[in-house]
């Protein structure tokens, strides 16, 4: 959480194993996540399991990286522990959710293709659509440059091998609506 406020509510959660709001600590949390994944694989190997049976003894682990571009492991690309988690972690119940404010290919590097699901909201050029979702995504139907409604985007999933347009649900939470109105006035 490099801005130190967006995920701050998670700091004291009993379910958080590592929290970093300083970019110098991000790699530590990612390496710890990777080591936990490897420990799970060793447990799976001993029990001859190909997939972790998610439950109390085999919990689901989620790594949230708010602003991937500030992460040194992103720049290391496919040789990083982050890439290793993205490649193998699902079988052990280890998932990564990451976001980036910049969608350029040189910013996202080769690690983008290790994310089995990718989401792109409204952007200003087809190059950005392709950088986030993959080559020729705009030509194959992800029309992120044509989005005019708020909360609309396109998602790519490896399972489907295609793009789906989605719209986030309308929020009726008064505090969230007030926050949204505040941000509309500020931006």
């Amino acid at each position: 959480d490099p801005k130190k406020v967006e995920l701050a509510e998670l700091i004291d959660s009993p379910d958080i194993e590592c929290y970093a709001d300083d970019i110098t600590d991000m790699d530590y949390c990612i390496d710890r996540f990777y080591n936990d994944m490897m420990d799970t694989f060793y447990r799976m190997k001993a029990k001859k399991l190909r997939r972790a049976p998610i439950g109390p003894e085999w919990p689901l682990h989620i790594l949230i990286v708010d602003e991937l571009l500030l992460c040194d492991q992103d720049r290391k690309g496919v040789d990083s522990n982050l890439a290793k988690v993205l490649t193998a972690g699902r079988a052990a119940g280890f998932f990564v959710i990451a976001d980036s404010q910049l969608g350029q290919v040189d910013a996202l590097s080769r690690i983008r293709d290790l994310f089995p699901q990718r989401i792109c909201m409204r952007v200003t050029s087809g190059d950005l659509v392709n950088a986030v979702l993959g080559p020729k995504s705009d030509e194959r139907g992800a029309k992120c440059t044509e989005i005019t409604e708020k909360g609309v985007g396109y998602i790519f999933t490896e399972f489907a091998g295609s793009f789906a347009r989605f719209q986030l649900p309308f929020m009726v939470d008064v505090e969230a609506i007030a926050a949204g109105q505040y941000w509309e006035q500020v931006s």
Side-chain angles (χ1 to χ4, degrees):
D1 185 10
K3 294 177 193 148
K4 302 181 185 325
V5 294
E6 292 178 338
L7 301 173
E9 292 178 22
L10 299 175
I11 293 173
D12 296 322
S13 170
D15 297 320
I16 299 297
E17 293 186 23
C18 187
Y19 178 89
D21 61 6
D22 188 307
I23 59 173
T24 60
D25 297 331
M26 288 175 77
D27 280 346
Y28 169 76
C29 285
I30 292 169
D31 291 341
R32 184 170 167 184
F33 193 77
Y34 168 78
N35 290 334
D36 288 348
M37 178 189 77
M38 293 310 297
D39 289 345
T40 300
F41 276 127
Y42 292 130
R43 287 178 53 214
M44 290 169 58
K45 183 177 181 180
K47 295 188 178 281
K48 297 183 176 20
L49 297 172
R50 290 183 53 117
R51 287 198 152 309
I54 302 301
E57 292 181 37
W58 301 85
L60 181 66
H61 299 264
I62 301 172
L63 172 66
I64 300 172
V65 180
D66 182 25
E67 198 45 69
L68 189 60
L69 297 180
L70 297 176
C71 175
D72 282 339
Q73 297 216 9
D74 174 51
R75 288 185 285 285
K76 294 176 188 172
V78 296
D79 297 324
S80 69
N81 283 342
L82 178 60
K84 292 171 187 173
V85 171
L86 288 166
T87 301
R90 285 175 281 175
F94 285 72
F95 294 85
V96 178
I97 298 171
D99 69 38
S100 176
Q101 298 301 315
L102 294 175
Q104 289 84 351
V105 172
D106 59 337
L108 289 176
S109 75
R110 296 180 297 161
I111 206 164
R112 175 214 50 214
D113 292 331
L114 297 178
F115 285 91
Q117 295 90 23
R118 298 184 287 275
I119 295 173
C120 186
M121 306 297 272
R122 183 178 171 273
V123 293
T124 57
S125 76
D127 290 341
L128 292 174
V129 177
N130 296 334
V132 173
L133 296 176
K136 299 186 180 180
S137 295
D138 59 335
E139 296 172 21
R140 293 175 27 225
K143 303 296 182 189
C144 300
T145 57
E146 299 174 10
I147 296 171
T148 57
E149 309 95 333
K150 293 179 183 178
V152 172
Y154 283 84
I155 183 169
F156 170 83
T157 64
E158 283 183 359
F159 177 75
S162 62
F163 305 98
R165 185 178 190 270
F166 69 89
Q167 182 166 7
L168 298 172
F170 179 72
M171 295 171 40
V172 294
D173 178 56
V174 175
E175 289 180 20
I177 292 170
Q181 291 170 348
Y182 169 77
W183 288 113
E184 279 182 4
Q185 293 169 3
V186 172
S187 50

